[in-house]
Amino acid sequence: MAHMCLKNWGFVRDESNKAVKHNPKNIKAWYRLAKAHQMLQNWEEAGNAIDSGLEIEKDNKELLQLQTKLGTKIRKARQLRQQRERARAERTSRIKEVWRYCKEEDIALGRVTLVGTVKDDEEDEEGNEKAESQWHHHYPHTGQLPKRQMQDGKWTWPVLFVYPSHHQSDFIEHFGEDEMIALRMAQMFPEQEEDDGTYETDMPWDFNNEFRCGNLSVYFEVHCQNTDLDDKGNAIIHPESVERLKDQGATMRFYESSRALKGDEGPEMATVARCMERKHLHHQRKAWIKKHGSLWAKPNPSPVVQIHPAATLSQVLRHTNMVVPNFLVTITLFPLNHPAHSAYLKEHKVIGVVEPPKE
């Protein structure tokens, strides 16, 4: 009651919770708990406290007045919670389906670190501000999942085409597994020969008209080749590297954390997800420093596998060196004679080729 007079509504909530646990029939404690939640705008919790109080004293005047006043807000809050629970159940079902399919088809999945710091006041070593959420910073996509098509039961994947030579990219939401890479390339970068024998592409950023399907080299980066293990048998991963998702539970936690950090589940769940990801990042950093001495001792650039344009997405996904980070297949394209292509191959060793299917 003293905290109510001082309008310390957080303390009112905490003390009232203690009171109702000590004596569940304390009607005044239920009213004060409901009032605290009202002032904190926790509408559903306020409704639960009102209902609990009315079970003890159904004609309590103060609780009935509060119920009438907050009725609309309580109903809306409960409806929103039910919608979130349904959406979460649907996502859980989809994640399970994706994991089962990938396990059956030997498709490896990976993840990246979703936060950049382990505490609020941590500063970047170079003096630049760290990005707290890297879900959109590692790859510019929307968190889409692979999807089984209802018509024919075949799977499509979100695919990102990256063009480092021009700092551009294209996102394809549904790329069929049985589609050839070359067909998409032909749609996006057609060979458009002019009457005088020259080529003019449609991309405004392609100043030298180099992005033609017959003039491009295609690669994917190879992740999770690190064989270092800690005392518990877990792989030692640099925080900026891709980590393999080992089981269904880890896959579900990663995806739910990514959605929560985007704000899909509200501020409280975002805080919980941030704490969990910071703990994960802390363990990664600790293990790496113990093994290599410093976070500056970064692993070598990832090797790459070249993709023959006539290969299908299915062949890329099932290649022994392929790990799909963030459920997103990322394919890198370079014009053949571009300086960025030569520089890329100096840093990234080519260790294989995805050949087209044999007839």
Side-chain angles (χ1 to χ4, degrees), residues 1-18 28-42 45-46 66 69-70:
M1 183 176 180
H3 283 305
M4 284 186 71
C5 294
L6 294 171
K7 298 184 179 180
N8 293 331
W9 300 111
F11 285 107
V12 176
R13 175 198 59 202
D14 296 342
E15 298 302 320
S16 298
N17 274 321
K18 294 177 184 178
K28 290 185 178 180
W30 283 116
Y31 169 73
R32 289 166 184 159
L33 179 60
K35 191 67 179 178
H37 281 305
Q38 175 198 5
M39 302 308 295
L40 294 170
Q41 297 187 5
N42 300 329
E45 290 82 352
L66 203 57
K69 183 177 181 180
L70 303 181

Side-chain angles (χ1 to χ4, degrees), residues 113-127:
T113 304
L114 295 176
V115 294
T117 61
V118 295
K119 52 186 178 181
D120 289 332
D121 58 350
E122 182 179 340
E123 294 183 356
D124 185 38
E125 294 180 1
E126 297 180 357

Side-chain angles (χ1 to χ4, degrees), residues 13-239:
R13 175 198 59 202
D14 296 342
E15 298 302 320
S16 298
N17 274 321
K18 294 177 184 178
V20 296
K21 287 180 180 178
H22 178 71
N23 178 13
K25 295 188 179 297
N26 187 337
I27 192 68
K28 290 185 178 180
W30 283 116
Y31 169 73
R32 289 166 184 159
L33 179 60
K35 191 67 179 178
H37 281 305
Q38 175 198 5
M39 302 308 295
L40 294 170
Q41 297 187 5
N42 300 329
W43 309 119
E44 187 171 8
E45 290 82 352
N48 294 339
I50 292 170
D51 293 344
S52 297
L54 291 176
E55 287 179 3
I56 300 167
E57 189 178 318
K58 63 181 181 180
D59 56 351
N60 184 277
K61 184 177 179 181
E62 291 177 319
L63 286 174
L64 289 172
Q65 288 178 344
L66 203 57
Q67 185 183 53
T68 302
K69 183 177 181 180
L70 303 181
T72 301
K73 293 180 178 178
I74 292 170
R75 283 193 298 273
K76 288 183 177 180
R78 286 172 173 168
Q79 289 172 357
L80 287 174
R81 175 183 54 79
Q82 291 171 355
Q83 291 174 3
R84 288 196 301 270
E85 288 177 352
R86 282 195 297 269
R88 190 181 302 117
E90 291 173 1
R91 290 200 306 270
T92 299
S93 176
R94 287 189 62 193
I95 285 288
K96 288 182 177 179
E97 184 182 22
V98 169
W99 174 258
R100 284 195 300 268
Y101 175 71
C102 291
K103 188 174 182 181
E104 292 170 359
E105 298 294 325
D106 292 325
I107 300 173
L109 299 174
R111 59 158 292 170
V112 297
T113 304
L114 295 176
V115 294
T117 61
V118 295
K119 52 186 178 181
D120 289 332
D121 58 350
E122 182 179 340
E123 294 183 356
D124 185 38
E125 294 180 1
E126 297 180 357
N128 297 323
E129 191 177 81
K130 276 273 190 179
E132 259 309 290
S133 174
Q134 295 186 344
W135 179 247
H136 285 301
H137 294 275
H138 190 81
Y139 291 124
H141 74 112
T142 58
Q144 296 288 331
L145 287 173
K147 186 177 182 181
R148 186 194 297 272
Q149 298 301 303
M150 297 297 294
Q151 301 88 345
D152 52 15
K154 295 182 179 180
W155 283 76
T156 62
W157 287 73
V159 175
L160 185 69
F161 280 15
V162 180
Y163 323 124
S165 60
H166 290 67
H167 305 288
Q168 299 290 333
S169 63
D170 282 308
F171 176 66
I172 303 170
E173 186 173 353
H174 301 292
F175 196 123
E177 284 193 4
D178 56 349
E179 289 187 62
M180 282 198 304
I181 307 295
L183 292 179
R184 288 283 184 168
M185 291 172 58
Q187 292 174 0
M188 299 165 67
F189 313 116
E191 300 277 359
Q192 295 181 341
E193 186 175 355
E194 301 294 328
D195 294 337
D196 58 359
T198 61
Y199 290 90
E200 186 74 27
T201 62
D202 294 332
M203 286 69 68
W205 43 265
D206 184 18
F207 302 113
N208 296 320
N209 298 309
E210 298 170 296
F211 272 76
R212 309 185 309 274
C213 59
N215 188 48
L216 298 173
S217 288
V218 189
Y219 305 92
F220 73 80
E221 293 190 6
V222 177
H223 304 291
C224 304
Q225 285 200 317
N226 187 358
T227 56
D228 294 334
L229 302 176
D230 60 17
D231 299 336
K232 297 181 180 179
N234 298 317
I236 299 175
I237 305 294
H238 190 276

